[in-house]
Amino acid sequence: MATRPRLNYGRIFWSVVVFQLVLSFLPMNVGGLILYPFSVLSTWTHELGHAMAALLVGGAPRSVQLFIDTSGVTQSAGVEPGVRQAIVSLGGLLGAPLAGVMMLAVSATPRGALVSLVGLTAFLTLALVLLMGNATGWVLGGAVVALLALGTWKLDREKRFALAQLVALQLLLSVWSGRHYLFAKTAYVDGNQFGSDTEQIANALGGTHFMWGVIVGAIDIALLYGAYRFVRWRLARDERAEATGLAATV
């Protein structure tokens, strides 16, 4: 009986990494336009990271807003200044990378890729209904959900696997593709100036915004490498199991 062709995970993984990084360095925001839906997804996941962190420290997320320039803001109640505020700020910076790690771990196989895409689509649909607080956010978030659902339903096995990797890596690399924000003292949200997340962490815990940018960037690189090694191990294990099963039936 013919077996399904094996996917070259290493080739797909590093092709997506190079694709993402090259686009992020293209002039006149060309890369940003090509990756616009993924940028919206990264911002949305960033804001949901704030919301989840607020829950973790005993706060209550009230709303998430997304804007056409791919900026966003999360409103939460009951978050006290100091360490708890720093945790909420850090939750945003690490929200997208941690979501990317989970997606890479789950989508280590073609079947897992399907599960991860369905799970992400369902989670974002729930977040859209419960937390989205502005009309632009509804349009942008709804479009992202629709694109994910369409890709999950229409793409074949290999392309769906590549889509899951692309989404996961976009989330993992969003810290560095948005490196200007990572090392910025202030940020603009829908034209309004705010203190950046790293600046808020520095105000709460000490140090400088640049120092915290370096720390978060290093954590992101470690997450990327660890996720890659885990998925390579998982695929190698599955290939050995498949080879053993085939040998037993010869």
Side-chain angles (χ1 to χ4, degrees), residues 33-228:
L33 290 175
I34 295 173
L35 288 174
Y36 186 77
F38 296 102
S39 298
V40 172
L41 175 60
S42 296
T43 299
W44 194 3
T45 312
H46 175 105
E47 299 306 328
L48 290 175
H50 285 312
M52 298 296 288
L55 282 174
L56 182 65
V57 300
R62 299 302 189 192
S63 70
V64 169
Q65 295 183 0
L66 302 177
F67 302 99
I68 199 71
D69 60 356
T70 70
S71 63
V73 64
T74 300
Q75 301 290 339
S76 298
V79 178
E80 299 177 1
V83 174
R84 292 186 179 184
Q85 180 58 57
I87 292 173
V88 173
S89 297
L90 187 61
L93 291 168
L94 294 180
L98 289 173
V101 166
M102 288 188 287
M103 275 203 73
L104 278 178
V106 174
S107 63
T109 63
R111 179 175 295 180
L114 174 61
V115 171
S116 69
L117 288 171
V118 170
L120 178 63
T121 304
F123 175 75
L124 292 178
T125 301
L126 185 63
L128 186 68
V129 173
L130 294 180
L131 286 175
M132 193 59 69
N134 65 329
T136 301
W138 270 92
V139 172
L140 295 175
V144 168
V145 167
L147 288 172
L148 283 172
L150 184 64
T152 304
W153 178 40
K154 286 291 189 178
L155 294 179
D156 61 28
R157 170 179 171 266
E158 184 165 355
K159 290 177 181 177
R160 190 166 56 226
F161 179 79
L163 174 62
Q165 301 303 302
L166 179 60
V167 170
L169 286 169
Q170 166 66 19
L171 293 174
L172 258 171
L173 292 168
S174 62
V175 167
W176 285 105
S177 60
R179 59 196 172 277
H180 302 299
Y181 175 73
L182 180 64
F183 297 107
K185 187 172 184 177
T186 59
Y188 286 88
V189 178
D190 195 31
N192 299 309
Q193 189 175 29
F194 295 88
S196 68
D197 286 329
T198 50
E199 174 67 9
Q200 292 186 43
I201 295 171
N203 289 337
L205 302 181
T208 66
H209 69 277
F210 185 83
M211 180 194 79
W212 285 105
V214 170
I215 291 172
V216 172
I219 292 173
D220 185 61
I221 292 174
L223 288 173
L224 175 66
Y225 181 73
Y228 173 71

Side-chain angles (χ1 to χ4, degrees), residues 109 231-244:
T109 63
V231 175
R232 284 299 299 266
W233 168 80
R234 171 73 181 273
L235 286 178
R237 187 197 67 177
D238 290 348
E239 287 179 0
R240 288 194 298 269
E242 181 182 350
T244 301

